[in-house]
């Protein structure tokens, strides 16, 4: 038995001298290590004088690094010693196991360093979410384990207005409370200033949810539902005339009103979804123009080609962007005046602004496009700091930002 305990100690706490493992309790989700400090006494943190006079002892539960998919809890019996030094302001102190515990700490030092590394790498909430994958059990104040985060529940109310729903819930509860207290429906109506019919409907409904019908429900079935796929299809084909579509679905068996069809189409008309195939987003086109042509996929190249065929201005712009990129990557600054002339010949006002800006500082730009030196390293650092700053938005405070910018 002694041997096993020694082996366990060597396995679990290779770097910590003064600890003995007393037992290991393995459960489906958790491993509980029962351990104890083996020194005879401890040094007072106030004056440094060693004391062996035990005052009392208690259990500490520390979260430790997880093992084989289970979270690990270290249960340590720690002793409180009396400080023998009469000049010391402390009367008693609690022992700490060096390299494993610290005052008020709820995690072992090795878990703390892992969490710090995760926090610095992922920043704030992303790190907290990642903690769940690490199966780290973090104890809260009462010493209970935090439950694993549940997937966010969507509030699934059958009603459109939550405020209205809450009011009805409250009224329903009041009426039922009064009924239970022995009041008659007539007296309830008088007290709450409700009509007899309102009291009756509230009293007859077992749950407030039963009171919601009709217009208050989200997913009411409509007589038009069956014909919606047909209407959608015709809409996508370009037929958006409600009267015409109504005339088309009547022979198919639709027995509802024209108004319903018209309301359905009005919704489609005001929704942001366009009628025909979506043109590519400006952002996507920008990326296609700014990327090296050989890195675009075949589909992207085809779509870019279609865009350029339909827009001579964009075609001209793409030519200028690519020749500038060539000049920049091949360091051919001497071609800049030629490029500027070419730009001025086209009717592209925003490029003209750029050209005017370059003209004001032409020598510097030519040098930048020709010489091997650049401010890339500085730009890289600036970029890194901006990236960190933006990653942190809404996640954690200035302290963590400072730590990530400085040491990480
Ligand atoms: Zn002391």
């Amino acid at each position: 038995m002694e041997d096993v305990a020694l082996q366990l100690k060597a396995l679990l706490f290779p770097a910590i001298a003064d600890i003995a493992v007393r037992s290991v309790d393995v459960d489906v989700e958790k491993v509980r290590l029962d351990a104890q400090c083996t020194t005879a006494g401890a040094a007072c943190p106030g004056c440094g004088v060693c004391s062996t006079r035990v005052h009392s002892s208690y259990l500490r539960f520390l979260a430790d690094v997880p093992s084989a998919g289970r979270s690990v809890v270290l249960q340590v019996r720690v002793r409180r010693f009396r400080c023998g030094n009469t000049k010391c302001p402390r009367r008693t102190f609690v022992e700490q196991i060096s390299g494993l515990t610290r005052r008020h700490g709820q995690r072992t030092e090795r878990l703390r360093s892992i969490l710090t590394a995760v926090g610095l790498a992922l920043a704030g909430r992303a790190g907290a979410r990642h903690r769940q994958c690490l199966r780290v059990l973090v104890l809260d104040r009462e010493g209970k384990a935090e439950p694993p985060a549940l997937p966010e529940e969507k509030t699934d109310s059958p009603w459109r207005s939550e405020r209205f729903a809450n009011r009805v819930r409250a009224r329903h509860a009041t009426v039922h409370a009064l009924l239970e207290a022995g009041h008659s429906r007539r007296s309830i109506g008088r007290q709450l200033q409700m009509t007899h019919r309102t009291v009756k409907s509230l009293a007859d409904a077992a749950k407030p949810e039963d009171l919601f019908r009709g217009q208050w429900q989200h997913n009411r079935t409509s007589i038009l539902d069956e014909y919606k796929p047909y209407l959608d299809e015709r809409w996508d084909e370009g037929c958006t005339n409600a009267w015409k579509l109504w005339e088309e679905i009547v022979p198919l068996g639709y027995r509802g009103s024209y108004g319903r069809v018209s309301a359905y189409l009005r919704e489609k008309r005001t929704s942001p979804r366009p009628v025909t195939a979506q043109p590519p987003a400006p952002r996507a086109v920008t990326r296609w123009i700014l990327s090296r042509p050989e890195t675009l996929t075949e589909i992207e190249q085809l779509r870019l080609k279609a865009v350029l065929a339909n827009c001579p201005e964009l075609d001209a712009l793409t030519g200028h962007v690519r020749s500038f990129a060539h000049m920049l990557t091949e360091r051919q600054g001497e071609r800049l005046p030629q490029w500027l002339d070419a730009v001025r010949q086209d009717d592209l006002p925003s490029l003209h602004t750029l050209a005017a800006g370059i003209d004001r500082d032409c020598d510097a730009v030519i040098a930048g496009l020709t010489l091997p030196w650049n401010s890339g390293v500085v730009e890289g650092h600036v970029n890194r700091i901006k990236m960190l700053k933006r990653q942190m938005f809404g996640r954690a405070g200035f302290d963590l930002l400072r730590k990530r910018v400085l040491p990480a």
Side-chain angles (χ1 to χ4, degrees):
M1 190 58 214
E2 281 288 289
D3 280 357
V4 176
L6 280 175
Q7 275 173 8
L8 272 177
K9 193 256 151 198
L11 175 72
L12 299 168
F13 304 105
I16 293 152
D18 309 319
I19 194 164
V21 180
R22 297 205 310 186
S23 68
V24 179
D25 182 20
V26 182
D27 151 346
V28 187
E29 289 186 325
K30 217 189 301 179
V31 177
R32 189 187 287 270
L33 299 175
D34 188 358
Q36 184 172 31
C37 190
T38 53
T39 54
C44 168
C47 61
V49 172
C50 219
S51 166
T52 52
R53 292 168 57 203
V54 177
H55 170 274
S56 57
S57 72
Y58 64 93
L59 285 177
R60 279 181 80 177
F61 298 92
L62 298 150
D64 196 9
V65 182
S67 160
R70 294 185 177 91
S71 39
V72 175
V73 178
L74 186 61
Q75 175 186 314
V76 204
R77 180 162 287 282
V78 290
R79 295 163 292 177
R80 180 178 282 282
F81 291 97
R82 286 180 208 281
C83 182
N85 184 355
T86 45
K87 287 178 194 137
C88 179
R90 281 175 192 273
R91 309 285 295 276
T92 65
F93 63 91
V94 176
E95 65 183 344
Q96 301 295 341
I97 303 165
S98 81
L100 197 66
T101 66
R102 66 166 66 188
R103 209 170 162 220
H104 304 310
Q106 298 185 334
R107 291 155 206 173
T108 58
E109 291 299 290
R110 52 195 183 188
L111 177 59
R112 178 183 290 270
S113 58
I114 289 177
L115 289 180
T116 308
V118 170
L120 284 174
L122 296 177
R125 264 175 232 159
R129 281 196 294 273
H130 189 60
R131 199 187 65 189
Q132 295 296 338
C133 344
L134 291 174
R135 289 198 139 266
V136 172
L137 188 78
V138 179
L139 301 176
D140 66 16
R141 292 265 160 81
E142 280 82 42
K144 283 181 300 195
E146 267 177 31
L150 293 170
E152 272 181 31
E153 263 182 59
K154 265 173 70 184
T155 49
D156 198 20
S157 163
W159 310 321
R160 262 188 273 176
S161 155
E162 199 51 37
R163 231 175 86 201
F164 179 63
N166 286 337
R167 209 168 71 207
V168 171
R169 282 193 191 106
R171 275 150 61 106
H172 180 266
T174 317
V175 167
H176 279 260
L178 287 171
L179 279 173
E180 263 175 46
H183 293 263
S184 70
R185 290 186 180 193
R186 184 185 290 268
S187 129
I188 294 172
R190 250 197 327 269
Q191 291 177 51
L192 301 177
Q193 297 184 332
M194 287 175 185
T195 63
H196 179 67
R197 276 184 64 178
T198 313
V199 177
K200 183 178 180 317
S201 66
L202 285 165
D204 289 348
K207 309 190 292 286
E209 281 76 5
D210 295 344
L211 290 163
F212 285 80
R213 302 257 178 278
Q215 58 172 321
W216 299 104
Q217 277 184 326
H218 268 305
N219 301 318
R220 252 178 339 147
T221 53
S222 154
I223 196 166
L224 190 62
D225 282 351
E226 221 180 296
Y227 304 93
K228 280 179 182 169
Y230 176 81
L231 292 178
D232 291 343
E233 201 177 294
R234 292 288 288 130
W235 176 272
D236 289 341
E237 282 166 21
C239 179
T240 58
N241 184 316
W243 188 264
K244 197 162 174 297
L245 287 174
W246 176 64
E247 282 181 338
E248 283 179 24
I249 59 173
V250 168
L252 298 176
Y254 173 66
R255 296 163 67 111
S257 65
Y258 158 74
R260 221 176 264 264
V261 178
S262 143
Y264 178 65
L265 294 183
R266 199 177 311 127
E267 218 171 85
K268 283 172 86 70
R269 206 164 275 133
T270 49
S271 82
R273 221 166 54 113
V275 183
T276 47
Q278 234 172 343
R283 223 184 142 102
V285 179
T286 312
R287 188 176 69 79
W288 298 336
I289 293 177
L290 291 176
S291 305
R292 274 174 188 271
E294 61 271 20
T295 60
L296 295 177
T297 63
E298 208 168 309
I299 294 168
E300 286 169 341
Q301 284 180 17
L302 286 174
R303 295 189 70 188
L304 176 61
K305 209 170 161 187
V307 171
L308 298 185
N310 283 305
C311 180
E313 286 84 2
L314 270 185
D315 196 21
L317 175 73
T318 309
H320 293 312
V321 168
R322 288 192 174 159
S323 70
F324 192 88
H326 187 74
M327 195 159 60
L328 186 74
T329 49
E330 304 293 320
R331 289 216 295 268
Q332 298 169 337
E334 73 281 357
R335 284 177 49 203
L336 185 67
Q338 206 183 316
W339 184 82
L340 289 173
D341 287 341
V343 163
R344 288 206 184 89
Q345 269 158 31
D346 282 323
D347 181 26
L348 296 166
S350 19
L351 269 192
H352 289 177
T353 321
L354 175 71
I358 290 177
D359 255 347
R360 273 201 297 277
D361 208 4
C362 202
D363 290 344
V365 178
I366 291 179
L369 288 174
T370 318
L371 300 172
W373 300 292
N374 62 58
S375 56
V377 178
V378 179
E379 291 296 335
H381 280 291
V382 171
N383 195 27
R384 184 182 72 92
I385 287 169
K386 282 185 178 172
M387 188 266 300
L388 287 175
K389 185 191 80 180
R390 285 169 191 161
Q391 273 186 340
M392 298 283 297
F393 181 77
R395 287 182 168 188
F398 185 72
D399 289 344
L400 183 57
L401 175 63
R402 189 164 181 277
K403 279 189 182 143
R404 291 189 80 208
V405 169
L406 296 179

